Amino acid sequence: MSFENPPIVLTIAGSEATGGAGAQADLKTFQELGVFGIAGLTCIVSFDPKDDWNHRFVPIDPQVIADQLEASQTSYEGKLRTVKLGMMGTPQTIETVAGALERQEWDNVVLDPVLICKGQEPGAALDTDQALIAKLLPKATFVTPNLFEASTLAGFEVTDIEGLKKAAQVIHEKSGAAVLAKGGVRMDGPDAVDVFYNGGEFEVLATPKVGDHAVSGAGCSLAAAVAALLARGRSPLDAAREAKDFVTRGIHQRVSSQLPFDALWQGGLR
């Protein structure tokens, strides 16, 4: 009996202890979509129930991050061609990750540009944002900014679909990457609207909103789904379409807890 090995996909992201987001969400997404997931952790985030569930943020030492990525890249040399980038947290982490990415060729580098690292001082967060734009955005082949991140990367405030389209164009021009700019529940209107653009194809992806509040893990899972689907041979546009459906179904099947927000369930397709 012969077996076909699944594609290998690496997530480089933070740990989120309640399981709703971060590397935990990425690995569950990978499993649901038929790829073998591995993870390098950049930081540890734990919500504080004693402080209105605010973030407690602990960066992982850059050498420890480098060691994790060395182990993964060496173990799957020649097979590891797709990586998803999530929360980085510090400029030092970004420098370390950028160096690791440069050690090999990649078919797919999916960047979820987490521009605000909750739990940090504003100055530190700004330094991290600037490092991400300088070091990681140019390496990306696919970028999934939310409404705030699209505004920041494009350099103007996005408030409607036309603005989202323009932002997707500007981000593509800056990076060369395919862009899925996400309006989500934060943009007015009855639908959750995302815009895909890769320099040739332009498509508005819209589905009816599921409630009026953001769900934990939606952005992480969307980018992870795109990475998994690209690794399985989907085109960027098809990956965007299928990833949006995956996330929409997961929001419908969201998980409630004592947290002030629900979490997406990656098993929604089932």
Side-chain angles (χ1 to χ4, degrees):
M1 183 180 294
S2 63
F3 296 91
E4 182 179 349
N5 287 327
I8 312 295
V9 182
L10 168 65
T11 177
I12 306 175
S15 168
E16 195 279 277
T18 69
Q24 288 89 333
D26 294 345
L27 291 174
K28 287 182 280 189
T29 298
F30 293 162
Q31 188 73 15
E32 290 289 335
L33 294 177
V35 301
F36 185 82
I38 55 179
L41 298 182
T42 58
C43 57
I44 297 173
V45 174
S46 52
F47 301 120
D48 187 353
K50 301 182 297 298
D51 183 26
D52 198 28
W53 300 102
N54 284 315
H55 289 64
R56 293 176 289 201
F57 167 79
V58 180
I60 292 175
D61 183 270
Q63 186 59 54
V64 176
I65 297 171
D67 292 346
Q68 293 177 82
L69 300 182
E70 179 188 35
S72 296
Q73 290 177 277
T74 304
S75 296
Y76 299 103
E77 186 174 359
K79 296 182 178 181
L80 177 59
R81 307 290 301 177
T82 299
V83 61
K84 180 254 177 175
L85 307 177
M87 179 183 276
M88 296 289 116
T90 71
Q92 293 78 15
T93 293
I94 290 169
E95 189 76 35
T96 300
V97 169
L101 294 179
E102 290 166 1
R103 288 203 297 267
Q104 68 169 83
E105 296 292 324
W106 299 92
D107 294 331
N108 308 296
V109 178
V110 180
L111 174 63
D112 183 11
V114 183
L115 290 180
I116 288 185
C117 185
K118 299 180 182 69
Q120 284 190 304
E121 294 297 323
L126 178 60
D127 290 344
T128 302
D129 293 353
Q130 292 173 339
L132 185 146
I133 292 167
K135 299 286 186 178
L136 297 183
L137 185 61
K139 300 183 186 307
T141 63
F142 200 116
V143 188
T144 62
N146 63 24
L147 196 61
F148 169 78
E149 293 156 355
S151 297
T152 302
L153 293 176
F156 57 86
E157 185 178 4
V158 177
T159 58
D160 55 21
I161 295 176
E162 291 307 311
L164 205 59
K165 288 180 179 179
K166 180 60 178 176
Q169 287 182 294
V170 171
I171 296 166
H172 169 74
E173 290 165 3
K174 287 183 176 181
S175 65
V179 179
L180 183 60
K182 303 173 295 184
V185 297
R186 294 181 175 88
M187 202 158 64
D188 291 339
D191 292 337
V193 177
D194 305 332
V195 171
F196 174 88
Y197 181 69
N198 67 353
E201 297 171 295
F202 222 142
E203 184 159 325
V204 175
L205 308 177
T207 58
K209 290 179 179 177
V210 184
D212 298 321
H213 301 287
V215 172
S216 176
C220 302
S221 298
L222 182 79
V226 167
L229 292 162
L230 290 172
R232 292 183 56 190
R234 302 292 200 278
S235 71
L237 179 54
D238 284 342
R241 290 169 175 159
E242 292 184 47
K244 184 173 178 66
D245 183 53
F246 177 86
V247 167
T248 300
R249 290 170 181 260
I251 294 173
H252 275 288
Q253 300 292 323
R254 58 194 180 273
V255 177
S256 61
S257 66
Q258 299 302 316
L259 290 162
F261 43 80
D262 295 335
L264 176 147
W265 182 47
Q266 287 76 21
L269 286 176
R270 292 189 268 124

